[in-house]
């Protein structure tokens, strides 16, 4: 298939004439050494925002802990075409990722460090772990996390929307640790 500069796909100009397969491979080659995990048993639309933010901020891999593979794509604006989502079903699946990643819980806990003061660890690849709207990150997952970060807030509502929060945190990680 030949793509032209009038390509209706929502792409930066440099990718407009490229195939989806080329874009997928090029994004992977240019990605940063971190992954994101969203716990989303509620299967709400926030996973779409997480996928879009992962695309924007160069996450290498996406993990989705849920009871079904269904992904609500609203909010992803086609970004799901360029990154496969790795589906996890159980807490054992999550724990197995410790062999590869340092676990960073993005959650409001007693031990969380404010994001703007946090120095990102460099020993292993980082896995950013996000919880869900109703209950946050499961306790069983928090128990195996290495670091805890939170976004400082100044309003009256206790927490941010998790999709919004994911963009703030990925941007901080990329700017402090990887971007030149
Ligand atoms: C809506 S919050 C869950 C809130 C929780 N049910 C409560 O009200 O205590 C959903 C997810 O967004 C992320 N989140 C939202 N606001 C945050 C903040 N200020 N700092 C760190 N993570 C936050 C966390 O990953 C959290 O699990």
């Amino acid at each position: 298939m030949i793509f032209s500069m009038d390509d209706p796909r929502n792409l930066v100009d440099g990718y407009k004439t490229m195939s989806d397969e080329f874009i997928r491979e090029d994004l992977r080659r240019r990605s940063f050494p971190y992954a994101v995990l969203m716990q989303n048993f509620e299967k709400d639309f926030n996973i779409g925002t997480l996928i879009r933010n992962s695309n924007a901020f160069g996450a290498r891999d996406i993990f989705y802990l849920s009871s079904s593979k269904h992904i609500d794509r609203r909010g992803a604006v086609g970004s799901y075409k360029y990154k496969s989502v790795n589906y996890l079903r159980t807490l054992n699946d999550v724990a197995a990722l410790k062999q590869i990643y340092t676990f960073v819980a993005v959650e409001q806990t007693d031990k969380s460090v404010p994001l703007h003061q946090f120095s990102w660890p460099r020993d292993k690849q980082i896995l950013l772990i996000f919880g869900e709207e109703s209950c946050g990150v499961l306790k069983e997952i928090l128990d195996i996390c290495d670091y805890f970060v939170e976004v400082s807030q100044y309003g009256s509502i206790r927490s941010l929307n998790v999709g919004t929060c994911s963009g703030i945190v990925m941007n901080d990680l990329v700017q402090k640790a990887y971007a030149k």
Side-chain angles (χ1 to χ4, degrees):
M1 187 168 179
I2 309 283
F3 295 103
S4 75
M5 288 304 277
D6 301 327
D7 187 341
R9 295 174 301 168
N10 186 8
L11 293 169
V12 297
D13 285 352
Y15 280 141
K16 274 202 188 318
T17 57
M18 310 295 172
S19 69
D20 286 347
E21 189 185 358
F22 175 89
I23 297 169
R24 244 191 320 273
E25 284 168 11
D26 197 52
L27 286 175
R28 180 146 196 101
R29 187 183 58 73
R30 295 170 48 230
S31 67
F32 300 116
Y34 77 98
V36 298
L37 184 156
M38 181 176 273
Q39 168 199 317
N40 192 254
F41 293 104
E42 289 158 3
K43 304 185 215 43
D44 62 36
F45 63 87
N46 288 307
I47 184 68
T49 310
L50 184 93
I51 294 170
R52 183 176 184 171
N53 287 340
S54 302
N55 174 285
F57 297 112
R60 190 158 295 165
D61 287 296
I62 302 173
F63 296 96
Y64 178 54
L65 174 63
S66 189
S67 50
S68 93
K69 286 187 180 175
H70 171 76
I71 287 179
D72 187 330
R73 291 172 167 173
R74 284 175 294 170
V77 290
S79 53
Y80 52 82
K81 285 191 275 188
Y82 308 113
K83 179 87 62 198
S84 25
V85 174
N86 302 290
Y87 169 60
L88 306 177
R89 250 174 60 84
T90 67
L91 293 174
N92 283 343
D93 294 342
V94 176
L97 296 175
K98 286 222 79 165
Q99 290 172 21
I100 306 171
Y101 299 102
T102 296
F103 280 19
V104 179
V106 181
E107 190 54 277
Q108 295 164 299
T109 75
D110 294 348
K111 44 190 167 184
S112 295
V113 176
L115 180 64
H116 60 279
Q117 294 172 358
F118 187 62
S119 297
W120 291 96
R122 302 292 194 107
D123 49 343
K124 286 200 276 185
Q125 290 190 56
I126 287 168
L127 181 67
L128 297 176
I129 300 177
F130 298 94
E132 53 198 297
E133 289 294 294
S134 59
C135 60
V137 179
L138 288 172
K139 180 179 180 311
E140 293 88 335
I141 297 179
L142 290 176
D143 285 346
I144 57 169
C145 284
D146 305 294
Y147 298 90
F148 303 82
V149 290
E150 68 185 343
V151 178
S152 301
Q153 296 184 204
Y154 305 94
S156 60
I157 303 295
R158 206 167 53 201
S159 61
L160 293 162
N161 163 271
V162 62
T164 303
C165 179
S166 73
I168 294 170
V169 174
M170 283 187 236
N171 180 58
D172 187 89
L173 168 60
V174 169
Q175 294 307 322
K176 285 187 193 160
Y178 307 127
K180 303 220 166 62

